[in-house]
Every structure is written in C-alpha cells, then in structure tokens.
Amino acid sequence: MQKVELLAPAGNYETMLGAFYAGADAVYLGGQGFGARAFADNFTQEELISAIRYAHIHGKKIYLTVNTLLKEKEVFSFREFFAPYAYAGLDAAIVQDLGIFKIIHEEFPWVELHASTQMTVTGPESARLLMDNGASRVVPARELSLSEIRKIHDYCLEKGSGIEIEAFVHGAMCYSYSGACLFSSMVGGRSGNRGKCAQPCRLPYKSASCDECYPLSLKDMCLVDRISELIEAGIDSFKIEGRMKKPEYAAGVTSVYRKLIDKYYDELSKKGFAEPDRDTGIKITSSKEDKAILSHLYLRSEIGEGYYYRHNGKEMVTLGNPAYNGSDDNVTANIREKYLDKKLKMPVNLVCSLCAKEKASLTLSTTIFGEKVSVTAVGSEVQLAQKRPMSEADCEKQLRKFGDSDFYIEEFNLNIQGDNIFIPVKQLNELRRDAISLLEEAILEKRGYIQHIDEPQSENEDDHKGFLPSDPDFSKKMYVSVLNADQLKKVCERALANSCISRIYVDSRIILLGEDIPEHGESDIFIALPYVCRAEQSISYYEDIDKAIEYINKGIAKGVLVRNLEQLSYILSIGYKGRIVADYGLYVWNHHALSMYETLAFNEMEFNLPLELNLHEQEDILKNCDFVNALGSIKDESLFAYQIYGKVPMMISANCVRNTLKECSGLRGSITDYSKVSLIDRTGRTMPVVYDCRYCNNVIYNSASTSLFKKMDKIDRTLGKYGVAYRLDFTTENGDETLEILKAYEGLVFDGEMKNSQFLSEMDYTAGHFEKSAT
C-alpha cells in the first residue's frame, strides 16, 4: 500500500535529523541561495550533499526549495548552485520559476519537479498543464477546499496520468495567494518572490470600522483531526510549514502527525481495506496530549483549519493579536530528549575473520525491502605476533566503534583462528570503515539510487542570439486597462478622438454586467480575465471565461489577458486560437521562462514585463529572448508591454476585509460591480481594497500609483529599441481622473511633452522598482 508521505521542514541540519527521527518520510530544505526562506539558517553545500546521502541510506527523501524567481543575470549561477545536488542524487526540486523548471527538466531530468505553492496552482487544468510538461507533483494554493483538491486528483487520473498532490496541513498561513503577493516588495523592497518577505500582513491597520487591528493576519493551520478526510481526498503528501522555526517544532509536530497517520493505516488494515477509500468510515482524532504538544510549539494565539472547509471568514483571522504563543520549556525539553541530537541507525550483523597469514575480512549485512544486503571488505594480511598478540577483546573494541555512522551492531561474530595473531589497530579501523562504506553503497544501489556523472551543459553568449532590436520606424504603442464602465467610457472617447491608444484591456466584469463597449476607433479590445480561476461548484469561473471567448469569436474583441496558469491551460484545452497576453502575474524574469511559455501554450503569446525588476533587468530579459523572433514580426506587434502608470495589486486574497471587519455583503457569486473599502497602515498610507463578490476575493492595491512620467526619456532609450508597448492601468480612478492621466501620458509617450505635469506631480505616486529591483 502506498501510504501518504509526511513532509517536514528543515531550516538546518539538526532540524533535519530530528524530523527524520520523529518519523518524517521526507524533508524540504534550502541551500545558500534561490530558496523562499532566505533568512533561515539553510544548508551549506557540504551539509546538503551529506543530508542527501544520509536520507537515502535510511529510505528517506530530500526536496530542495528553489522556489524563487530567477533574474536573467543569475541563470548561470543557478546552474552552478544546483548541479552538485543533482549529481548527489537530490530527489526533487520545489520550483516557482518556469525558467528554473525548464533548466532542471532539460539538464537534470532525473530530478523530480514539484510545482511550488508559489506557482498558484488553483485548479485541475493548471495541474494537468504542469504534469504534461514534466512536473511529478503540485503543491496547490492553500486557498483550495478539500473538494477542489479531490477534483485535481480525479481530473489528472482521468487524463491518463496521475500527478502527486502535496498539501499543507500545519503551520502559518499567508493572507494572499502565494506567489501573487507583492506587498512586502512594493512597500519595503523585500520580495516574497525572492524569499525575503517582511510580513506586512502581520502588522496592525486601521479602517472605518476598526481603530487598530490585524485584519490580514490569518490563524495558523492545524489539521490533526482531519487526517482521515485528507488521505481519502487523494492527497499524497502532508506538508508541515516552518523552515524558519526551531528544531523542537519540526520534531514535535512531525511526531504527532506520524502517530495519527500510522493510526489511520492500522485502522484501515483492521477493516480489511487494501487502500484508502472515500467511504471507510474511519475517523482519527488527536488526544488532549497531542493538542497540548502542538499548542506549545510556536502556534499563534488561535488556530484553525485553513481554507479546507470554508472559502473565507472572520473566524480565520487573528484580529486581536498575531503573535506566537511561544513554547513550553517542559515540552521542548521532552522533545529534545526524544528526537534531537540523535540519528537514525540501521541494525547490522557483523562477521569478522582474522587468521594468521591470511587477509582480514569483515562482512556486514542488513535487510532492505525484506531482502538481505551483504558486503565484505578485505584488508591487509594478518601477521603472527612478534611480541604481545591481539586479544579478542582488543579486536572487538575496534570493530564496535561505529560511532557517528548510520548503523549499529545487532549481532557480533568475531572468528579468530590461532592464539598468536597481530593486526595493527590502524588497519583494523580501516577495515571497519571500508566495510561501512561498501554497505552504504550497496544500500543505495538496492534502494534504486543511480550515480549521475554527466557534466551540466554550460551556457555562453553563443547559446542564444537575443531579441533583435526593432526597426527604427517602429511606431510606439500605448495599451490601457480599465476596471469599470466609467473608465471604459472615457478611454473609448479618447480613443475615438485620436489614434494613440492601440489596445484597451476591458475587465471581464464589464462584459458579464452586460455593458456595451462604446465606439473606440482603431483601438483593439482585449478581455482581461479575473485574477483567480478555481473549480468551486458555487462560482462559474470557467463559464465566465467562455463568455469572454464568445466576444472574441464574434469579433468584438481580439484576445484575452490571462492572469494565471489555470486560465491559460483552460483556454488552450477548449481549442482557443486567438491572441493571448500574459499579465504581470505570469512571471517572466528570464528568457528560459519565456521559452517555457512558448512550450506550454503552443501559441503566440505576448507578455508584460515584471513589476519587481528595475529597468536594466527588464532589458536583460529582452536581450536574451531569441525565441520571440520566431513568433512574429515585431514590426507588426509589440510582444512586450511595460507599466508606466497604475496601482500595483499587492495582494490577491480569497479572504475578505469587509467580511472580517464588518459583515459579508451576501452577494457571493452574483454579477455585481466592484466595491471598495480601505485600510490605513502605521504611516498613514491608505490602501484601497477592492472586493469582488462574484468570485469572493479581495485585491489590495498599493496606496500610491506607480507613475513614471519623469522617467520616460530613459525608458524610451532603454526599451524603445525593442518595440515595447507602454501600459497604463486604471483601477480606483474615477472617469475624470482617468481622462486627465491618459491625456498627460499621451503627450509624454507620443510628443515627449509634459502637457499636464502639475496634475501628475500632485498625485500620490511612486517610481516602484524602476531604479531598484526587489531583493
């Protein structure tokens, strides 16, 4: 029977040893770079390679987190970083960046690819897309319900090949969909997508209905009483959050879940089931002692069950205090005594033969998969003693020195022939060490581990030609996105009055509300799909996408702006052949990621340059993305756009600030216009929160708009030669504000004139990451 995997966090080597000793089947950990917990202790190269060998000897697994976004200039250093672990037999890499995904899949194909929760996998289509392109496992968004996870499991099986599902069962929760949060990046320059989140969600905020509280701080997740349901839903791996937490936490939490998982399978066996079934009737619950241990191991003041059984709710939020309870000294001391400062050790039988004038031999044997594994080391010739002979006690003392090895002696047999033998202690020690080494290799071979010796492919300047600069006569293009009908009306009026606006992104809500698209001159209409797409029964995500596609099929619109992998996979699965534009959230930080999108989509795509990179890092991508030249002539279309104005969506959340601080509108699933509340931070900045009752989510925007009106000359010199279009995003602006901003930027982009500089200067604005990228 294939049992559910218990996956524990390890911030350092001690934590890894403790987690394995407490019963983890695998651990996930980070090296000295490219991981989403930059401030954990993390592993040196030597420690990580040692950890892989240790885990494999004991039938455990090591997953390396490389779940951050990779800048173009870091591509070669990533290869250098990753290669030693791949050749050491790393089991899997947990990945966010599609460029890293592509590099590992092509150059280190024996390393499994696990799609990180940072990839924001929200449904069966995105899971299938990743599976079809090399992923063996997905970690779905933590916002998914148990029924949605079942759908991913069943859908992928139906498509002919199951994909493993790894799901969080314990630990801290993010307010935003993981991978879709730019809050820390935009406010403080520390990006969650680079492993350096400053956790602004744990800070206090004010609103009209709350003097000071913590509306963005979710309770920690604890699912010890839902073990049966999670296993029977088709989850393959239970993941414990907490690479930043202490060794006692990892070992203690692991021990509790290990006990309950084993209890489930014991009950399953007693009831005669060959494997988990959704109707076993087994209910596993934790004891008071279990809960006491967990409550004293760095949980917040309140705990919950995450999103598994609810879409959102104020009961999920630690409004009063987001701090940890800390830990109980007695509990941590007990855990340390039981699980820490210890190693897993395998029992071995030892047989040593020492006979004068014959070579010494030492045989070690153990059992793997029910079969005997045996090795024999042969040493130097045993001598006749010239003075004092070696006693049996002397020999046994040296042979039993297994010390820090991965074995302990269960049976000991020493066969000495004659009473007058001598072998130097040094040679006896070497014989023991050689036998241990041989046994390790035999165990690794028995467990199916193969040593990979091929050298990684190097990348040099000749490996790609780069994006050819555009024709000097390439005409500048301006794209505009709108969120509501008032903005759309003003933008269309302006488009009808002149030909400056090449494209208008119309939010799909406007279409669903039945609003007519006004006359818009030569401008193309594209439908902007929602930020999230899920397989919830109560909400018609996919039907709404179908309606948007109908507009395109009727010739009303030219294409779609997709915002997540679920949408991309879905529209391709229904045979959509129109134009596809990837929004900012489909990250393209390097040319390998761009190339991967070409592979995923089998179609011409356009892209929006990342919001977290500085101007020169954006150009680095363009210099190296040679595949784009094959997709179409850049004289006809801009294949990239760059935001020069707009409020950045800092958080996309399944939770709801209005519901938490006031009450639910009761309009979930209804086709209504967007509404807005506000949060005020400690510095007095007001952040608009747009709540979307149709899909029951919130978008928290930056308090200040990114506005690059003072940077246009530099932008033109840097990006203009690549034919990059300029994009303006209107979110919370009213119709009149939209028109004034649009006019000002038209003058800047097309005439190089500051026609309305005072209006732009008086706004609350920021240059975003124009000069300094997120760290």
Side-chain angles (χ1 to χ4, degrees):
M1 183 190 300
Q2 183 68 38
K3 296 183 179 181
V4 70
E5 176 186 84
L6 181 56
L7 177 59
N12 56 37
Y13 204 91
E14 180 191 19
T15 307
M16 179 206 71
L17 293 177
F20 279 144
Y21 203 85
D25 299 302
V27 300
Y28 64 103
L29 48 81
Q32 295 297 307
F34 306 102
R37 292 293 181 270
F39 301 118
D41 290 345
N42 293 319
F43 285 62
T44 65
Q45 184 180 109
E46 181 182 359
E47 286 176 331
L48 213 160
I49 291 173
S50 173
I52 292 169
R53 186 175 180 87
Y54 171 80
H56 289 177
I57 286 170
H58 295 285
K60 309 291 187 178
K61 293 183 177 181
I62 298 289
Y63 305 149
L64 177 62
T65 56
V66 283
N67 51 343
T68 55
L69 298 177
L70 186 70
K71 295 180 181 181
E72 184 66 41
K73 64 184 179 183
E74 297 170 337
V75 168
F76 183 75
S77 61
F78 170 75
R79 281 196 180 96
E80 287 189 317
F81 164 82
F82 189 78
Y85 311 129
Y87 292 125
L90 178 68
D91 293 285
I94 303 174
V95 176
Q96 175 187 16
D97 189 284
L98 282 177
I100 290 179
F101 188 103
K102 182 174 184 289
I103 291 168
I104 295 174
H105 187 53
E106 291 181 351
E107 299 180 24
F108 311 98
W110 60 88
V111 179
E112 289 189 5
L113 285 163
H114 295 178
S116 169
T117 190
Q118 290 284 115
M119 273 196 175
T120 325
V121 173
T122 54
E125 289 291 348
S126 47
R128 180 193 57 78
L129 184 69
L130 292 166
M131 176 183 71
D132 289 347
N133 287 276
S136 62
R137 177 182 291 190
V138 294
V139 188
R142 277 175 268 203
E143 288 74 9
L144 300 195
S145 66
L146 200 58
S147 64
E148 289 175 271
I149 290 175
R150 285 195 192 103
K151 287 178 183 178
I152 293 175
H153 174 268
D154 295 346
Y155 181 79
C156 290
L157 277 179
E158 179 188 321
K159 292 299 179 181
S161 178
I163 190 168
E164 292 181 352
I165 298 173
E166 176 182 305
F168 284 94
V169 297
H170 193 93
M173 296 281 291
C174 296
Y175 194 81
S176 173
Y177 283 92
S178 294
C181 184
L182 304 183
F183 200 160
S184 176
S185 172
M186 300 309 297
V187 172
R190 284 170 47 179
S191 173
N193 286 322
R194 299 282 287 174
K196 297 180 180 178
C197 179
Q199 296 193 324
C201 54
R202 303 297 181 186
L203 296 176
Y205 296 91
K206 296 180 181 179
S207 74
S209 54
C210 177
D211 186 32
E212 186 175 275
C213 57
Y214 299 84
L216 308 182
S217 179
L218 294 184
K219 296 177 182 178
D220 282 8
M221 181 196 301
C222 180
L223 289 162
V224 285
D225 292 328
R226 300 285 192 171
I227 296 293
S228 308
E229 296 156 67
L230 298 175
I231 293 175
E232 292 168 9
I235 296 172
D236 298 282
S237 179
F238 287 178
K239 188 171 193 173
I240 299 167
E241 180 274 339
R243 279 199 292 134
M244 296 284 287
K245 294 174 184 173
K246 294 182 179 180
E248 290 86 352
Y249 164 87
V253 174
T254 297
S255 69
V256 172
Y257 279 88
R258 175 79 278 155
K259 181 178 72 173
L260 296 173
I261 291 169
D262 290 346
K263 186 177 179 181
Y264 170 85
Y265 285 104
D266 287 344
E267 290 296 314
L268 195 70
S269 178
K270 289 177 184 177
K271 289 197 171 193
F273 288 95
E275 60 183 24
D277 186 275
R278 290 177 188 173
D279 298 311
T280 64
I282 297 172
K283 175 67 174 176
I284 302 298
T285 56
S286 59
S287 65
K288 290 182 179 179
E289 292 76 12
D290 295 331
K291 288 186 172 69
I293 290 171
L294 297 176
S295 67
H296 290 101
L297 287 174
Y298 314 104
L299 280 175
R300 296 185 194 280
S301 53
E302 299 175 85
I303 59 173
E305 294 182 327
Y307 289 96
Y308 282 102
Y309 300 94
R310 60 185 54 77
H311 184 93
N312 59 33
K314 64 179 67 179
E315 68 276 9
M316 296 178 66
V317 182
T318 59
L319 264 178
N321 179 15
Y324 283 112
N325 283 332
S327 59
D328 182 281
D329 290 342
N330 292 328
V331 171
T332 55
N334 186 44
I335 290 170
R336 176 161 287 280
E337 182 181 352
K338 279 186 176 180
Y339 306 113
L340 297 173
D341 302 322
K342 296 180 180 180
K343 290 179 63 175
L344 294 172
K345 288 183 179 286
M346 297 177 63
V348 296
N349 295 339
L350 181 152
V351 178
C352 181
S353 295
L354 301 175
C355 181
K357 298 186 178 180
E358 292 183 13
K359 290 186 177 181
S361 68
L362 176 58
T363 299
L364 297 178
S365 60
T366 190
T367 302
I368 303 293
F369 303 136
E371 298 180 8
K372 183 178 180 180
V373 175
S374 180
V375 297
T376 299
V378 178
S380 303
E381 185 177 291
V382 180
Q383 304 166 23
L384 287 170
Q386 298 297 316
K387 296 181 181 179
R388 178 178 176 271
M390 293 280 284
S391 69
E392 184 173 332
D394 291 334
C395 294
E396 182 172 349
K397 178 182 177 182
Q398 299 306 317
L399 292 172
R400 282 189 176 276
K401 288 184 176 180
F402 272 50
D404 198 40
S405 75
D406 294 307
F407 309 103
Y408 69 90
I409 299 171
E410 188 171 60
E411 291 186 16
F412 184 89
N413 290 284
L414 177 57
N415 179 21
I416 297 178
Q417 297 183 24
D419 298 326
N420 196 34
I421 68 160
F422 177 79
I423 182 170
V425 170
K426 180 181 178 182
Q427 292 180 13
L428 209 54
N429 289 339
E430 287 177 356
L431 182 67
R432 184 195 66 244
R433 286 192 291 264
D434 289 346
I436 290 173
S437 181
L438 287 172
L439 184 59
E440 289 176 348
E441 295 301 327
I443 290 171
L444 293 174
E445 183 179 350
K446 184 67 176 177
R447 293 195 187 280
Y449 292 104
I450 302 170
Q451 186 176 7
H452 299 275
I453 58 175
D454 292 339
E455 290 300 321
Q457 173 186 336
S458 63
E459 176 167 309
N460 55 51
E461 293 180 358
D462 296 327
D463 285 337
H464 43 76
K465 299 175 183 177
F467 189 7
L468 302 177
S470 66
D471 189 286
D473 296 328
F474 182 86
S475 58
K476 291 182 180 179
K477 294 182 183 294
M478 177 182 284
Y479 300 160
V480 178
S481 73
V482 296
L483 201 60
N484 58 53
D486 287 341
Q487 294 167 352
L488 177 62
K489 179 182 177 182
K490 294 296 184 181
V491 170
C492 286
E493 286 176 1
R494 192 64 185 167
L496 198 59
N498 60 45
S499 57
C500 290
I501 303 171
S502 301
R503 180 181 299 174
I504 305 171
Y505 291 115
V506 179
D507 189 89
S508 60
R509 181 60 47 82
I510 297 172
I511 304 299
L512 294 174
L513 286 168
E515 301 278 357
D516 291 329
I517 297 177
E519 288 293 324
H520 47 85
E522 300 287 321
S523 303
D524 291 334
I525 299 295
F526 278 62
I527 308 298
L529 299 179
Y531 280 107
V532 176
C533 181
R534 291 169 56 176
E536 291 182 287
Q537 288 184 337
S538 59
I539 304 176
S540 304
Y541 291 94
Y542 303 99
E543 291 85 343
D544 289 354
I545 295 174
D546 291 340
K547 291 176 184 176
I549 300 300
E550 284 179 20
Y551 265 70
I552 297 165
N553 293 338
K554 291 177 181 178
I556 300 173
K558 290 287 185 72
V560 289
L561 179 71
V562 296
R563 285 171 161 157
N564 51 70
L565 284 177
E566 185 70 13
Q567 291 169 352
L568 177 61
S569 183
Y570 177 72
I571 64 175
L572 293 172
S573 73
I574 62 175
Y576 173 75
K577 301 296 182 183
R579 289 160 67 184
I580 301 171
V581 182
D583 203 11
Y584 309 112
L586 290 174
Y587 299 115
V588 285
W589 280 42
N590 55 76
H591 76 275
H592 287 289
L594 286 162
S595 181
M596 189 67 189
Y597 274 111
E598 180 193 32
T599 301
L600 293 176
F602 305 109
N603 206 330
E604 179 174 337
M605 286 184 70
E606 299 174 34
F607 302 92
N608 285 275
L609 291 170
L611 297 173
E612 294 187 273
L613 297 183
N614 66 40
L615 184 67
H616 296 294
E617 289 169 340
Q618 314 253 15
E619 186 184 17
D620 286 342
I621 301 170
L622 300 177
K623 288 177 181 177
N624 291 289
C625 55
D626 57 300
F627 89 93
V628 176
N629 295 299
L631 296 184
S633 170
I634 58 175
K635 293 181 181 180
D636 301 322
E637 294 297 336
S638 294
L639 295 178
F640 293 90
Y642 177 71
Q643 186 193 60
I644 57 173
Y645 175 83
K647 282 188 170 67
V648 170
M650 299 193 302
M651 274 190 170
I652 317 296
S653 179
N655 234 291
C656 180
V657 172
R658 175 194 159 125
N659 187 7
T660 299
L661 298 181
K662 191 176 179 183
E663 62 182 0
C664 177
S665 68
L667 297 173
R668 185 183 181 203
S670 303
I671 303 176
T672 61
D673 211 340
Y674 297 107
S675 299
K676 186 180 73 170
V677 294
S678 296
L679 289 176
I680 303 170
D681 69 13
R682 295 178 301 172
T683 67
R685 293 176 295 190
T686 300
M687 299 176 297
V689 183
V690 172
Y691 59 93
D692 177 357
C693 293
R694 173 63 171 170
Y695 306 116
C696 199
N697 62 42
N698 279 193
V699 180
I700 301 177
Y701 289 98
N702 198 359
S703 59
S705 298
T706 297
S707 186
L708 303 180
F709 64 98
K710 293 182 178 180
K711 313 290 185 181
M712 288 308 301
D713 284 345
K714 189 172 183 179
I715 294 170
D716 268 341
R717 291 195 304 271
T718 306
L719 302 182
K721 58 181 175 287
Y722 299 105
V724 174
Y726 299 138
R727 178 172 158 181
L728 285 73
D729 297 320
F730 294 107
T731 51
T732 59
E733 297 83 358
N734 62 37
D736 291 338
E737 290 169 337
T738 298
L739 183 59
E740 290 301 314
I741 294 166
L742 186 55
K743 287 179 180 178
Y745 271 98
E746 282 177 0
L748 282 167
V749 171
F750 296 104
D751 302 323
E753 298 178 6
M754 294 280 285
K755 293 182 178 180
N756 202 353
S757 60
Q758 184 176 352
F759 179 79
L760 294 178
S761 297
E762 289 174 353
M763 294 177 63
D764 186 13
Y765 72 92
T766 174
H769 287 295
F770 178 83
E771 297 286 356
K772 184 178 180 181
S773 65
T775 58

